[in-house]
Amino acid sequence: MTFRNVIVCRMVPGSEQTVADVFGYYDRTTRPQDLGVVGRTLLSFHGLYIHLIERNADPKVTGQTRGLPAFQQIAEKIGPYVTPYPRDWQNPSDSVAKEFYSWTPARAVEPPAGAAEPSRTVIVARIKPGAEPTVAQIFAESDAGPLPTLMGVTGRWLYSIDDVYLHVLERVGEEFDGAVEEQHDQPAFSKIMDDLSPYISPFDPDTWGSPVDAVATEFYRWRAED
C-alpha cells in the first residue's frame, strides 16, 4: 500500500522551473527512498503549489516525516517562491492537507492491452467550510454505482486545507478531458455534479468553464528506481 501526503502552499507564478530544479538536484544527489519516500509530483494551479509525496510505509508508524535529508536546504532555496497557504500557519505540518475520503474498487482494474499505467489527475476547487463529511458521502454513494467503471477510475482521494479542495484521481483509458466529455451528459455524472454544487465551487470562477479547467498542471515528477 502506498501512503500519500499532499502539501499545499502558495507559489509565485512562473517559478515552476526554479522549484523543479531544486527538487531535481536533491532527488538526484540524495536518496529520499532511504526515508521511505518512493515518489513525488509537483503541480501548480492559479498560484497554488501542490506537492504529492508517496511513501512505502505510513510515516506515523515509521516516524520518517521528512521527504529528503536536505529538507532545510530545500526549504531555504524555494522559500522566495513557495509560502504557506493556511491563514493560521505555524509550522510545516500545517501545510499538509487532510484526507477525508478515499476509494479504490473492490477488484483491481486491469488497463487495456498495450495501455499505459493509470494516469493521475489532480482537480482543484474550493470547499464550503465543514462540508467534508457531506462531500465524502456524495462520493461514497456515487462510487457504489456505475460511474467509476464508466470513467475508468482506479482510485480517488479527497483532501482539504482551509478552503481548498483537492481531488486526486487515478484512472485508465483516454485523457481526463475526453472521459469528461464522453460522460458529461450521463445521468450519473450530472447527478454527482448537481449534488456537489452546494459545497464545491470553482477555485477561480472567472476562468472556469468546465471540469477540465479545474485540473492542476504537473511540472515535476520523480520516482525511486530501487
Side-chain angles (χ1 to χ4, degrees), residues 8-10 83-90 94-96 161-162:
V8 179
C9 297
R10 299 185 189 276
T83 55
Y85 183 85
R87 293 181 295 273
D88 56 353
W89 190 94
Q90 295 182 6
D94 293 332
S95 292
V96 179
I161 180 169
D162 277 13

Side-chain angles (χ1 to χ4, degrees), residues 104-115:
T104 54
R107 180 179 300 176
V109 177
E110 295 293 334

Side-chain angles (χ1 to χ4, degrees), residues 45 54 57 77 83 87 90 99-100 107 129 146:
F45 184 83
E54 293 175 284
K77 289 182 181 296
T83 55
R87 293 181 295 273
Q90 295 182 6
E99 180 182 308
F100 65 91
R107 180 179 300 176

Side-chain angles (χ1 to χ4, degrees), residues 76-162:
E76 291 174 358
K77 289 182 181 296
I78 68 173
Y81 313 101
V82 177
T83 55
Y85 183 85
R87 293 181 295 273
D88 56 353
W89 190 94
Q90 295 182 6
N91 58 66
S93 65
D94 293 332
S95 292
V96 179
K98 306 300 187 294
E99 180 182 308
F100 65 91
Y101 177 78
S102 65
W103 174 87
T104 54
R107 180 179 300 176
V109 177
E110 295 293 334
E117 291 296 314
S119 62
R120 178 185 296 152
T121 301
V122 179
I123 300 165
V124 186
R126 296 194 187 276
I127 186 168
K128 183 178 179 180
E132 288 86 351
T134 303
V135 172
Q137 182 61 34
I138 290 170
F139 271 102
E141 293 173 357
S142 176
D143 287 336
L147 190 59
T149 299
L150 291 173
M151 297 193 69
V153 175
T154 59
R156 79 171 84 251
W157 297 263
L158 306 183
Y159 301 83
S160 66
I161 180 169
D162 277 13

